[in-house]
């Protein structure tokens, strides 16, 4: 009985460790590319609708909040550091917005895990 318990605890620990590990740089970049692609796809959907308004910043922002914000959350990969997580989500939102407004996926190649600094 104790051996079975130990195996179950070990399996659970392994599963939890796999679920909480930080996403690799490649996984984070894939998330950013996906967000850019989703923004461009939304632009195309709006363009195909008779009453759509592709490229409208307010509509792109509202769509982002409805899909990825609020109760729906977002699907950013796990990163252990809170500041890096915030920066990753903000960069994903920025890429989504740019792509939604332009209709072309913005490049995530230059994206950084460090928060962007704004000039005062």
């Amino acid at each position: 009985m104790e051996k079975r318990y130990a195996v179950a605890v070990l399996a659970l620990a392994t599963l939890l460790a796999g679920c909480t590990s930080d996403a690799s740089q490649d996984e984070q970049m894939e998330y950013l590319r996906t967000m850019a692609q989703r923004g461009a796809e939304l632009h195309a959907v709006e363009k195909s609708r008779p009453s759509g308004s592709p490229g409208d910043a307010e509509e792109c922002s509202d769509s982002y909040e409805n899909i990825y914000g609020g109760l729906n959350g977002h699907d950013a990969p796990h990163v252990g550091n809170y500041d890096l997580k915030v920066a990753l989500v903000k960069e994903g939102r920025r890429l989504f917005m740019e792509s939604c407004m332009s209709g072309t996926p913005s490049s995530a190649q230059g994206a950084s895990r460090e928060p962007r600094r704004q000039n005062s």
Side-chain angles (χ1 to χ4, degrees), residues 38-79:
R38 289 176 182 168
E41 289 168 0
L42 180 61
H43 181 95
V45 167
E46 287 299 315
K47 190 174 183 177
S48 70
R49 290 181 14 187
S51 63
S53 52
D56 180 68
E58 187 174 332
E59 192 163 320
C60 289
S61 180
D62 289 347
S63 294
Y64 177 87
E65 292 304 321
N66 287 330
I67 297 169
Y68 302 106
L71 296 177
N72 295 321
H74 50 75
D75 58 350
H78 175 75
V79 290

Side-chain angles (χ1 to χ4, degrees), residues 52-120:
S53 52
D56 180 68
E58 187 174 332
E59 192 163 320
C60 289
S61 180
D62 289 347
S63 294
Y64 177 87
E65 292 304 321
N66 287 330
I67 297 169
Y68 302 106
L71 296 177
N72 295 321
H74 50 75
D75 58 350
H78 175 75
V79 290
N81 180 301
Y82 178 76
D83 291 336
L84 292 179
K85 176 75 167 192
V86 169
L88 183 64
V89 171
K90 282 184 177 182
E91 184 67 5
R93 184 183 194 286
R94 184 188 70 76
L95 291 168
F96 178 92
M97 290 294 297
E98 283 182 4
S99 302
C100 180
M101 291 187 293
S102 72
T104 304
S106 294
S107 174
Q109 294 299 79
S112 169
R113 291 177 53 177
E114 294 300 318
R116 291 175 170 243
R117 301 216 192 299
Q118 294 182 346
N119 294 334
S120 301

Side-chain angles (χ1 to χ4, degrees), residues 5-56:
Y5 177 73
V7 169
V9 169
L10 181 61
L12 182 59
T14 302
L15 178 64
L16 290 175
C19 291
T20 59
S21 64
D22 285 354
S24 69
Q25 185 69 23
D26 287 342
E27 290 168 324
Q28 292 176 47
M29 291 302 294
E30 182 59 30
Y31 162 73
L32 295 175
R33 284 189 289 271
T34 298
M35 292 306 294
Q37 183 63 40
R38 289 176 182 168
E41 289 168 0
L42 180 61
H43 181 95
V45 167
E46 287 299 315
K47 190 174 183 177
S48 70
R49 290 181 14 187
S51 63
S53 52
D56 180 68

